[in-house]
Amino acid sequence: MNLRLDLSKRARKFLDQLPPKQFRQVVSKLLDLMADPERHDVQPLKGSPYLRADIGEYRIVFTVDAETETLKVPLIGNRNDGAVYDEVRRLS
């Protein structure tokens, strides 16, 4: 399965602010998720329709739209930042 990627404006802004090494790591993880969104390291977020994948100190929050074959990423953030979880609650 190879999905299209749909990044939210907020997720793009976060990516644009990352240092080059972390940018490459997160983009690599996004490419992996596009190829296989049901990887062993993907976990559902409790009380939310979203899934999460961790890469280093960052968390990618996403859903898969099977109808349009799209990986939708509304949020990428720092795992240690409580604002990521607040934002997920707001999105749900």
Side-chain angles (χ1 to χ4, degrees):
M1 175 187 278
N2 205 358
L3 303 171
R4 292 180 326 139
L5 181 62
D6 180 15
L7 286 176
S8 71
K9 185 176 179 181
R10 182 179 178 135
R12 284 184 200 164
K13 183 177 178 182
F14 186 85
L15 273 176
D16 289 342
Q17 295 174 352
L18 287 176
K21 179 181 177 186
Q22 286 79 8
F23 177 87
R24 285 190 303 273
Q25 290 173 334
V26 172
V27 168
S28 176
K29 185 66 163 194
L30 287 168
L31 293 172
D32 289 346
L33 290 170
M34 288 169 61
D36 182 12
E38 298 175 4
R39 297 169 47 89
H40 71 281
D41 58 346
V42 170
Q43 299 292 319
L45 288 174
K46 294 178 183 174
S48 171
Y50 294 100
L51 302 168
R52 69 156 172 87
D54 296 339
I55 179 67
E57 63 190 75
Y58 302 105
R59 174 154 291 164
I60 300 169
V61 177
F62 68 98
T63 60
V64 176
D65 185 341
E67 187 176 307
T68 61
E69 296 183 350
T70 304
L71 181 81
K72 295 184 177 189
V73 181
L75 185 63
I76 301 172
N78 193 305
R79 287 178 30 195
N80 300 325
D81 186 1
V84 170
Y85 302 104
D86 293 339
E87 186 65 23
V88 167
R89 281 190 288 274
R90 189 184 71 74
L91 290 171
S92 297

